[in-house]
């Protein structure tokens, strides 16, 4: 094992020397990096305690532990059994060369995207796929008045039998999830992973009985509409609704209000 590790550090040192002729004492690793083929996105964000990161192939998001060792970053999956270490070194243009102890290598190009924004979107997408995203905090029952009820007094008509759809694509990464708001007061949350499954939404009765479904209502608090969600798991959550020129913001995340069958 010592020989591959030694070769690795020699290789990274050579790469660094080829791109810059002076010591990189102030390398700013935080940023958004992409590989086009195969498509991979890596975001590294600066935190008080050091660095944190995510890597995604557009379908799966993995949280990374990031440790700085002088002019190298050591990256490993924060969860799961795979603790393979990868090593990142910056070149003179601010891009990253990432390799492991078997000398498998990827060259990441630095993007102009805001790392804080992309990191927050990946964090949100990862939590949403797990069924507990930051848009769905546990809340107590609200005392606000229900706004714009239908004739039977159950649900607001303008949202009934429609869905709030979130779409994002950029730098080889894509997000897609939606809240389906049915006319009988039930809802279903569908995330990236379920969109990729051909059978995820075919069995409607099973979907409605799952932890990704529940009951919905809209309340008005001081002139602001609040989408209340009561999940079958027993959790509850809320999303503030703001209408914009280009669609809607739910907890400051962009959505479109479309028909249930649109953009499937």
């Amino acid at each position: 094992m010592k020989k591959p590790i030694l070769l690795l550090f020699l290789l990274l040192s050579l790469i660094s020397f080829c791109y810059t002729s002076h010591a990189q004492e102030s390398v700013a690793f935080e940023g958004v990096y992409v590989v086009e083929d195969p498509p991979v996105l890596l975001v590294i964000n600066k935190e008080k305690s050091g660095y944190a990161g995510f890597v995604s192939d557009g379908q799966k998001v993995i949280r990374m532990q990031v440790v700085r060792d002088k002019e190298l970053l050591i990256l490993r999956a924060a969860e799961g059994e795979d603790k393979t270490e990868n090593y990142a070194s910056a070149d003179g243009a601010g891009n990253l060369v990432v390799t492991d102890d078997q000398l498998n290598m990827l060259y990441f190009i630095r993007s102009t995207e805001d790392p804080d924004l992309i990191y927050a979107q990946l964090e949100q997408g990862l939590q949403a796929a797990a069924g507990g995203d930051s848009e769905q905090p546990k809340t107590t029952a609200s005392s606000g008045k229900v706004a714009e009820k239908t004739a039977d007094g159950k649900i607001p008509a303008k949202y009934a039998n429609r869905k709030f759809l979130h779409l994002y694509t950029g730098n080889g990464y894509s997000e897609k999830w939606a809240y389906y708001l049915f006319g009988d007061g039930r809802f279903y949350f569908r995330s990236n992973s379920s969109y990729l499954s051909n059978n995820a939404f075919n069995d409607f009765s099973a979907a409605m009985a799952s932890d990704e479904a529940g009951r919905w209502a809209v309340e008005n608090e001081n002139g602001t509409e609040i989408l209340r969600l009561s999940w079958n798991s027993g959790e509850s959550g809320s999303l503030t609704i703001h209408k914009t020129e280009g669609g809607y913001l739910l907890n400051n995340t962009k959505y479109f209000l479309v028909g249930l069958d649109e953009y499937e």
Side-chain angles (χ1 to χ4, degrees), residues 27 50 63 67 75 84 101 216 238 243:
V27 174
R63 190 187 306 275
V67 178
L75 304 96
T84 301
D101 57 11
W216 70 278
S238 62
K243 183 74 171 68

Side-chain angles (χ1 to χ4, degrees), residues 5-25:
I5 293 295
L6 178 59
L7 288 173
L8 168 67
F9 278 89
L10 288 174
L11 178 61
L12 290 175
S13 299
L14 178 60
I15 292 170
S16 179
F17 178 79
C18 290
Y19 282 106
T20 179
S21 59
H22 57 81
Q24 300 178 30
E25 297 294 339

Side-chain angles (χ1 to χ4, degrees), residues 18 23 31 49 67 72 116 134 153 159 175 189 200-201 204 225 249:
C18 290
S49 59
V67 178
L72 291 178
D116 289 330
S134 58
Y159 301 125
E175 294 176 334
F189 175 75
F201 205 47
F204 183 79
E225 287 187 321
L249 293 178

Side-chain angles (χ1 to χ4, degrees), residues 1-251:
M1 180 61 69
K2 291 184 178 180
K3 186 174 181 180
I5 293 295
L6 178 59
L7 288 173
L8 168 67
F9 278 89
L10 288 174
L11 178 61
L12 290 175
S13 299
L14 178 60
I15 292 170
S16 179
F17 178 79
C18 290
Y19 282 106
T20 179
S21 59
H22 57 81
Q24 300 178 30
E25 297 294 339
S26 58
V27 174
F29 282 109
E30 58 268 27
V32 179
Y33 305 87
V34 295
V35 174
E36 292 186 357
D37 188 18
V40 183
L41 179 142
L42 172 66
V43 57
I44 297 173
N45 213 23
K46 191 73 169 64
E47 297 187 338
K48 291 182 180 179
S49 59
Y51 291 93
F54 286 109
V55 64
S56 174
D57 61 0
Q59 298 182 9
K60 185 176 182 180
V61 180
I62 300 175
R63 190 187 306 275
M64 303 297 292
Q65 291 180 342
V66 183
V67 178
R68 182 164 184 167
D69 183 4
K70 297 181 180 179
E71 300 310 314
L72 291 178
L73 289 183
I74 303 174
L75 304 96
R76 66 176 70 89
E79 301 165 353
E81 297 181 358
D82 185 1
K83 298 303 179 184
T84 301
E85 290 188 342
N86 297 275
Y87 308 91
S89 175
D91 68 15
N95 306 311
L96 287 184
V97 179
V98 179
T99 187
D100 59 17
D101 57 11
Q102 302 301 314
L103 302 184
N104 298 307
M105 184 182 299
L106 283 177
Y107 185 61
F108 284 83
I109 303 297
R110 180 183 285 270
S111 168
T112 58
E113 297 283 353
D114 181 356
D116 289 330
L117 175 62
I118 301 301
Y119 186 92
Q121 289 177 336
L122 290 172
E123 175 80 54
Q124 186 180 65
L126 187 64
Q127 292 181 345
D133 62 318
S134 58
E135 293 181 334
Q136 304 153 9
K138 293 183 179 179
T139 60
T140 57
S142 170
S143 58
K145 295 182 179 180
V146 177
E148 296 188 56
K149 293 181 180 179
T150 56
D152 60 9
K154 290 185 178 180
I155 56 174
K158 66 180 178 181
Y159 301 125
N161 291 317
R162 306 187 77 185
K163 68 185 175 190
F164 280 112
L165 174 67
H166 170 77
L167 297 170
Y168 171 82
T169 301
N171 295 318
Y173 172 73
S174 63
E175 294 176 334
K176 183 179 182 181
W177 63 76
Y179 294 91
Y180 293 72
L181 307 179
F182 297 100
D184 61 0
R186 295 179 296 171
F187 81 88
Y188 180 71
F189 175 75
R190 195 173 180 189
S191 64
N192 279 46
S193 57
S194 59
Y195 271 108
L196 293 171
S197 172
N198 293 328
N199 299 319
F201 205 47
N202 289 349
D203 189 343
F204 183 79
S205 59
M208 290 301 100
S210 70
D211 287 347
E212 287 73 39
R215 307 290 298 183
W216 70 278
V218 172
E219 300 176 357
N220 192 305
E221 292 187 353
N222 299 321
T224 299
E225 287 187 321
I226 309 293
L227 175 62
R228 300 292 184 188
L229 303 172
S230 298
W231 302 79
N232 290 337
S233 63
E235 293 181 300
S236 62
S238 62
L239 302 169
T240 58
I241 304 173
H242 293 288
K243 183 74 171 68
T244 69
E245 292 183 1
Y248 286 81
L249 293 178
L250 302 187
N251 282 12

